[in-house]
Amino acid sequence: MGKGKNATRRGARELAFQVLYGLSFTPAESPGELRRAFVLSPHNTAMSEEDLSAEPTGFAWELVEGVWSNSKALDAAISRFSHNWRVDRMGRIELTLLRLAVFEMLYRQDVPPKVAINEALELSGQFGEGNAKNFINGILDAAAKALESGALVPPAARAANP
């Protein structure tokens, strides 16, 4: 049972990555444009133009919408751990993977940080350059340690403890 859920989530992460990567070239300026980009993505074989009127659902959509809605906060978190690398100078693949993983680490309590890191590294191996894995792992590992020590606080925890 667990293997099926993991396989489904891995596919959802891959779809989310592909949609978010596409948005790095043609950004969505509104939630409607984001929904359209998700539904009409050539990688989203489960949806078509007829689905544009309905709100997308599922893990992939939650990731895409969450990363898009929180991109400034995610970039700020990534900047804290990317020594000597400005976010605007990072490769699009690497930045997209970092945003996706940091989103899961900060906003998805159902995803352990180690899982978010492992999944980002798997996607990096599939889509990124050879050296990208070490770069991504270094930043995500530092973020996970900060999360564990309390130096990086998820927004839900901040809201609960103002």
Side-chain angles (χ1 to χ4, degrees):
M1 173 81 166
K3 187 174 183 176
K5 180 180 177 183
N6 290 342
T8 301
R9 283 204 162 189
R10 176 160 290 166
R13 279 185 189 92
E14 185 174 328
L15 173 58
F17 164 77
Q18 291 168 323
V19 171
L20 290 164
Y21 179 69
L23 289 169
S24 72
F25 294 94
T26 312
E29 301 297 330
S30 69
E33 287 181 20
L34 180 69
R35 183 173 43 254
R36 182 172 184 76
F38 180 78
V39 169
L40 298 180
S41 168
H43 306 287
N44 190 351
T45 57
M47 300 184 89
S48 67
E49 206 160 341
E50 293 83 44
D51 297 309
L52 280 173
S53 59
E55 184 70 22
T57 59
F59 189 60
W61 171 248
E62 291 169 10
L63 294 175
V64 168
E65 196 279 328
V67 170
W68 182 80
S69 296
N70 297 288
S71 63
K72 284 187 172 72
L74 297 172
D75 288 355
I78 292 165
S79 291
R80 284 182 57 184
F81 306 106
S82 60
H83 306 289
N84 302 321
W85 279 92
R86 293 191 337 250
V87 170
D88 64 340
R89 300 282 300 159
M90 291 180 190
R92 292 177 195 218
I93 290 173
E94 292 78 14
L95 182 56
T96 302
L97 291 171
L98 288 167
R99 284 175 176 161
L100 195 54
V102 171
F103 172 77
E104 288 192 77
M105 291 166 67
L106 291 177
Y107 294 87
R108 298 291 307 214
Q109 294 180 354
D110 60 328
V111 179
K114 290 207 181 292
V115 171
I117 292 169
N118 185 53
E119 292 295 327
L121 295 176
E122 288 292 323
L123 287 170
S124 173
Q126 189 174 347
F127 295 103
E129 300 277 330
N131 299 341
K133 265 188 172 181
N134 292 335
F135 176 73
I136 291 168
N137 189 49
I139 293 172
L140 294 179
D141 187 53
K145 286 178 182 170
L147 195 59
E148 192 175 302
S149 74
L152 181 62
V153 182
R158 281 195 302 263
N161 301 310

